[in-house]
Amino acid sequence: MKRIAIQGERGSFHDIAAHQYFKDEQVQLICCATFEKVFEEIKNDPTVIALVAIENTIAGSLLHNYELLRDSGTTVVGEHKLHIEHSICCLPDDSWETLTEVHSHPVALMQCRGFLSGHAALKAVEAEDTAGAAEEISLHQQHGRAAICHKDAARLYGMKVLEEQIEDNKHNYTRFLVVCDERKADFLRPVDQTNKASLVFSLPHSEGSLSKVLTILSFYDINLTKIQSLPIIGHEWEYLFYVDVTYDSLIRYRQSIDAITPLTKELRILGEYVESEK
């Protein structure tokens, strides 16, 4: 039995991603209201595994989650990419004619902006979670309110699906990271089978410092798949660089890390794992 901490309720996209990643395994969800609480669960119980959204193809990176990951001291051991599909649902005895509000997470509302513009009579109301919005309406029998969530969440909470796939962009994916206490990492993924890594480092405030690092990575045939910079609070014009790389050779990857370390400040490997196939 794997205990998985997620942000959100049962039926949320985190729930769906967790069950897809750990398919054919027994999973016990620990549902948390915030991402801070997710990382606290690992701190309080090192056997807990977390699944955390890190970026979306439309909304972009979840910058705060990068900070939580770095500060937590946890290790990334996997990733999962989930196709995000939104549905609008309501109580079984409600209909388009009786609805006045639609509730969901602000990102979900943003991703369905085109659909909502065609239903201008519906007032959009932000909620903490997509599935949580459906649960709240169902639990308290809130007539006149609709929720935007995954169709599976709607059915889980006994809601009626009015329309599926209402998202504006059909190429909508969220990337999730699988995170654990660093002492459990080797039990969850054999390091010799990994082909992707997440790094974070800062650089001296000197000309060409970033290009030198990137040049070395290229020399060792390390493919840069993502780079995200965040300012270092209290240090003007200094940044932390969060970098994802893929590699075919673990040896050359390790050599590249040794080569760039003297050029960086506070380099840390956030995790080594197998790249998601999707």
Side-chain angles (χ1 to χ4, degrees), residues 123-250:
K123 177 185 176 183
V125 180
E126 294 185 357
E128 290 186 353
D129 180 51
T130 54
E135 180 187 33
E136 181 77 8
I137 293 170
S138 176
L139 182 64
H140 298 288
Q141 290 293 292
Q142 296 171 335
H143 292 277
R145 294 184 178 182
I148 290 177
C149 59
H150 192 273
K151 61 183 179 182
D152 291 348
R155 289 160 184 158
L156 177 66
Y157 295 112
M159 303 282 279
K160 176 174 66 177
V161 176
L162 292 171
E163 190 168 340
E164 297 181 16
Q165 297 181 340
I166 64 170
E167 65 276 2
D168 298 338
N169 191 321
K170 305 307 177 185
H171 300 281
N172 183 6
Y173 289 83
T174 293
R175 176 174 167 244
F176 298 83
L177 297 179
V178 183
V179 179
C180 70
D181 184 281
E182 60 182 358
R183 292 167 293 184
K184 283 183 60 70
D186 290 339
F187 296 99
L188 293 171
R189 58 95 180 95
V191 70
D192 59 350
Q193 295 179 13
T194 64
N195 61 358
K196 188 171 184 178
S198 294
L199 319 171
V200 60
F201 54 82
S202 57
L203 293 170
H205 191 52
S206 57
E207 185 176 347
S209 57
L210 179 58
S211 64
K212 292 175 184 176
V213 170
L214 300 182
T215 298
I216 291 175
L217 292 176
S218 176
F219 174 79
Y220 282 95
D221 297 324
I222 306 301
N223 183 37
L224 184 73
T225 61
K226 181 178 176 64
I227 183 167
Q228 179 76 53
S229 64
L230 290 177
I232 301 175
I233 305 301
H235 296 264
E236 293 80 5
W237 317 122
E238 292 188 30
Y239 299 86
L240 284 171
F241 294 91
Y242 291 86
V243 174
D244 289 341
V245 298
T246 58
Y247 48 88
D248 295 325
S249 167
L250 182 63

Side-chain angles (χ1 to χ4, degrees), residues 5 14 25 37 40 116 189 209 259:
H14 276 84
E25 296 188 57
K37 180 61 176 170
E40 283 180 21
L116 292 175
R189 58 95 180 95
S209 57

